[in-house]
């Protein structure tokens, strides 16, 4: 997600709409696949009727769940915005020893799912629960969503206006707020959007920490009731909240001021400041990574845990996680390719609309997509209910935006002159695409696939609702055991999940490093 925030838009400036009809139709069909969960959820809500809708929404318990969700999302977003911006300022404006190390450490919480962090804290503090516990864990794992884009924006921000503000007598904080903040605000708001959506859609952490939100209510209504209209209505409330957040982010984003050539170089602060500034940078990694991993390792090394490991079940969960990750990544890339190809080379209202629908999964919580596809598969294609096909499709809907963003940037970077030369040699559009565009854009397509694969391995709520009987992933095994407080039995699955998700992350880092070196050359 973070890489999409830093991708430069290399699409050509406004020109007459000339996209091939077949590409527009194919992209529209792929985008419409992402809209199936939301459309069917609306249909299901309409069938329930206005009376049942109002009756459900006005129930005291539903209001309580909604207020809990909003309060948690607001608290986590504000905290991450303040803490992430402060950490980004330290990383870019203060000369710290081993600067690359501090940047890497600040991004570590992105590799830990919220429910895994919650599990680690519960191992260390079994009585931990409620709003404060959920706020602490969610803030720790979400802070990098603000830190990384704001740090990138600060590196390119002009220092001229801030210097002028200082000469007029303003202090460092006032000068930053007046001169530099407007330049980095779009990046900060975009990061805050990701934090808010992640918090609203979280199910695993809040369930483990026993803080009842809308995601918890949706799962409870679906699991315990024969009339599942209530689950659909609660899901609609969650979708409305997510769409309100997205709309608010777009309205408040504003224009990015054009920076001047001179940027602010890092400065050396007195030695007494290094410890508090280092502690500030380490806050999220310690809370979101170090303490949970320490709890995991401690429990994993206990003798009774080692003796109780069910090796065949563990290997089965690893195989299922790998297989679903490959399937979800492949389908997400296939659906994203036409949309990315259209958006990379053409502009217009129709193109923007198709791309926006493709990104719809970005605003749909996993539990909503899972619930919608349960209803859809039972009504439209009962034979596919609780099959791998529906589960993989859910992954594609949820994580298609990751593939679209990366693939679009790769296709846009292919020089148009090469395509024109290929066509002038008599090659068809399809052959030109395969020999020129696809080959040059392949690294970016691979990055998108790896991003999706990592996300699939960590996905929990949709997997719980849609997984076929007898198939369990590492995430569902971990959640199932922690739900009944079997922390020792959950440790092997948590460790395997961390190691398994680290493999594509390392590969992804290598691909990005190679791409960066090529850009510099």
């Amino acid at each position: 997600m973070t890489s999409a925030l830093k991708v430069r838009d290399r699409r050509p400036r406004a020109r007459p709409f000339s996209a091939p009809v077949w590409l527009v139709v194919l992209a529209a069909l792929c985008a419409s696949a992402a809209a199936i969960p939301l459309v069917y959820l609306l249909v299901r809500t309409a069938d329930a009727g206005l009376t049942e809708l109002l009756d459900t929404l006005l129930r005291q318990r539903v209001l309580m769940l909604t207020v809990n969700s909003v309060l948690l999302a607001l608290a986590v977003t504000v905290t991450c915005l303040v803490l992430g911006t402060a950490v980004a300022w330290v990383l870019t404006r203060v000369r710290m020893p081993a600067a690359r190390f501090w940047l890497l450490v600040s991004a570590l919480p992105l590799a830990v799912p919220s429910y895994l962090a919650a599990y680690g804290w519960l191992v260390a503090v079994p009585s931990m629960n409620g709003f404060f516990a959920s706020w602490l864990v969610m803030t720790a794992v979400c802070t990098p969503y603000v830190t990384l884009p704001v740090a990138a924006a600060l590196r390119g921000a002009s220092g001229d206006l801030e210097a002028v503000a200082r000469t007029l007598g303003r202090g460092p904080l006032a000068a930053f707020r007046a001169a530099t903040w407007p330049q980095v605000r779009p990046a900060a708001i975009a990061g805050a959007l990701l934090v808010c959506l992640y918090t609203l859609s979280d199910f695993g952490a809040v369930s483990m920490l026993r803080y009842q939100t809308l995601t918890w209510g949706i799962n409870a209504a679906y699991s315990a009731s024969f009339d599942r209209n209530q689950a659909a209505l609660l899901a609609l409330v969650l979708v409305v909240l997510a769409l309100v957040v997205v709309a608010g982010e777009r309205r408040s984003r504003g224009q990015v001021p054009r920076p001047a050539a001179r940027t602010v170089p890092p400065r050396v602060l007195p030695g007494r400041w290094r410890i508090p500034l280092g502690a500030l940078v380490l806050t999220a990694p310690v809370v979101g990574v170090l303490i949970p991993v320490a709890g995991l390792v401690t429990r994993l090394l206990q003798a009774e845990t080692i003796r109780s490991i069910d090796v065949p079940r563990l290997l089965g969960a690893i195989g299922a996680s790998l297989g679903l990750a490959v399937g979800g990544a492949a389908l997400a890339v296939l659906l994203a390719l036409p949309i990315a190809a259209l958006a990379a080379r053409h502009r217009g209202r129709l193109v923007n609309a198709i791309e926006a629908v493709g990104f719809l999964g970005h605003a749909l919580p996993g539990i909503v997509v899972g619930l919608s596809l349960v209803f859809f598969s039972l009504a439209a294609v009962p034979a596919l209910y609780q099959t791998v096909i529906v589960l993989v499709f859910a992954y594609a809907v949820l994580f298609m935006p990751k593939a679209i963003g990366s693939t679009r940037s790769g296709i846009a970077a292919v020089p148009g002159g090469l395509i024109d030369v290929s066509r002038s040699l008599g090659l068809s559009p399809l052959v030109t695409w395969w020999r020129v565009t696809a080959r040059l854009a392949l690294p970016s397509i691979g990055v998108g696939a790896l991003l999706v694969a990592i996300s699939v391995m960590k996905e929990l709520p949709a997997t719980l609702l849609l997984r076929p009987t007898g198939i369990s992933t590492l995430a569902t095994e971990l959640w199932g055991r922690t739900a009944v407080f079997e922390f020792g039995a959950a440790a092997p699955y948590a460790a395997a999940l961390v190691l398994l998700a680290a493999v594509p992350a390392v590969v992804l880092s290598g691909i990005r490093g190679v791409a960066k070196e090529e850009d510099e050359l």
Side-chain angles (χ1 to χ4, degrees):
M1 286 181 192
T2 309
S3 62
L5 296 174
K6 299 186 285 184
V7 170
R8 218 181 329 173
D9 191 354
R10 299 181 181 178
R11 285 180 288 180
R13 295 185 178 180
R15 67 179 187 181
F17 184 76
S18 59
V21 175
W22 66 268
L23 180 59
V24 175
V25 173
L26 184 59
L29 290 175
C30 292
S32 63
I36 289 178
L38 179 58
V39 171
Y40 194 79
L41 184 63
L42 293 174
V43 172
R44 179 83 181 211
T45 304
D47 290 342
L50 181 61
T51 302
E52 185 174 353
L53 174 61
L54 294 177
D55 179 64
T56 301
L57 295 181
L58 294 178
R59 291 178 184 174
Q60 183 177 359
R61 186 164 187 79
V62 174
L63 293 176
M64 182 268 291
L65 294 176
T66 304
V67 170
N68 285 352
S69 297
V70 172
L71 286 178
L72 181 63
L74 184 61
V76 172
T77 302
V78 172
T79 309
C80 288
L81 186 61
V82 175
L83 179 60
T85 302
V87 171
W89 184 87
V90 173
L91 294 175
T92 56
R93 296 297 177 84
V94 178
R95 190 177 298 278
M96 301 280 287
R100 288 180 178 271
F101 166 79
W102 291 103
L103 180 62
L104 176 63
V105 167
S106 68
L108 281 179
L110 290 176
V112 179
S114 61
Y115 56 84
L116 184 56
Y119 162 77
W121 272 97
L122 286 172
V123 170
V125 188
S127 61
M128 189 175 180
N129 63 79
F131 174 83
F132 176 78
S134 302
W135 167 80
L136 181 68
V137 170
M138 295 302 299
T139 297
V141 300
C142 291
T143 295
Y145 287 122
V146 176
T147 299
L148 297 181
V150 172
L154 281 172
R155 291 190 186 95
S158 170
D160 295 333
L161 296 177
E162 189 170 341
V164 171
R166 293 298 302 274
T167 61
L168 294 176
R170 297 197 179 188
L173 183 60
F176 176 86
R177 185 174 63 250
T180 305
W181 173 250
Q183 300 180 60
V184 302
R185 183 179 61 189
I189 292 177
L193 166 70
L194 297 179
V195 172
C196 193
L197 291 176
Y198 190 96
T199 306
L200 283 174
S201 64
D202 182 76
F203 168 72
V206 295
S207 297
M208 290 182 182
L209 297 172
R210 298 186 291 282
Y211 181 69
Q212 298 181 5
T213 61
L214 280 170
T215 55
W216 181 91
I218 292 169
N219 184 72
Y222 172 78
S223 303
S225 176
F226 292 102
D227 180 13
R228 293 174 175 173
N229 283 341
Q230 183 179 357
L233 297 177
L234 290 176
L236 183 63
V237 173
L238 189 58
V239 170
V240 170
L241 289 176
L243 294 178
V244 167
V245 171
V246 174
E249 185 271 341
R250 289 185 177 274
R251 289 183 61 87
S252 60
R253 184 184 302 172
Q255 297 293 327
V256 183
R258 291 183 177 274
R262 192 180 74 85
T263 57
V264 179
R267 55 180 175 175
V268 180
L269 293 181
R272 66 178 182 272
W273 287 100
R274 290 186 178 180
I275 293 179
L277 292 180
L280 178 68
V281 176
L282 290 175
T283 299
V286 168
V287 175
V289 180
L290 182 60
I291 293 177
V293 170
L296 168 62
V297 172
T298 301
R299 184 54 64 98
L300 187 63
L301 294 179
Q302 293 179 356
E304 60 269 20
T305 299
I306 297 176
R307 289 194 298 267
S308 64
I309 294 178
D310 188 344
V311 177
R313 191 178 184 91
L314 177 61
L315 293 177
I318 292 175
S321 297
L322 283 174
L324 291 172
V326 172
L331 183 57
V333 169
L334 286 177
L335 293 176
L337 270 175
I339 303 173
L342 180 66
R345 296 296 182 188
H346 306 278
R347 283 192 174 184
R349 292 183 178 179
L350 180 59
V351 175
N352 292 337
I354 293 175
E355 187 179 15
V357 174
F359 274 94
L360 191 60
H362 186 63
L364 293 179
I367 196 167
V368 172
V369 172
L371 184 66
S372 301
L373 290 180
V374 166
F375 293 152
F376 178 78
S377 59
L378 285 173
V381 279
L384 296 181
Y385 174 64
Q386 279 196 326
T387 64
V388 173
I389 295 176
V390 177
L391 180 56
V392 169
F393 180 74
Y395 292 145
V397 170
L398 283 169
F399 306 123
M400 192 194 308
K402 300 178 185 295
I404 293 175
S406 179
T407 303
R408 182 188 63 193
S409 64
I411 295 175
V414 177
L418 293 179
I419 299 175
D420 295 336
V421 170
S422 177
R423 295 298 307 278
S424 67
L425 294 176
L427 298 180
S428 66
L430 184 59
V431 175
T432 297
W433 160 263
W434 179 251
R435 292 187 178 182
V436 179
T437 306
R439 290 188 179 184
L440 293 178
L442 187 59
S444 295
I445 297 173
V447 167
L450 286 173
L451 287 172
V452 175
I454 295 173
S455 301
V456 169
M457 289 180 191
K458 300 187 295 183
E459 206 286 326
L460 177 62
T463 308
L464 288 173
L465 291 174
L466 296 172
R467 63 189 173 122
T469 302
I471 292 182
S472 296
T473 65
L474 292 171
T476 59
E477 290 283 1
L478 170 61
W479 185 86
R481 281 161 172 72
T482 53
V484 292
F485 302 100
E486 295 179 356
F487 297 132
Y493 299 95
L497 179 60
V498 171
L499 295 176
L500 199 61
V503 174
V506 171
V507 175
L508 184 60
S509 300
I511 292 176
R512 285 177 173 171
V514 171
K516 183 177 180 181
E517 292 176 2
E518 290 178 351
D519 289 341
E520 292 174 351
L521 294 175

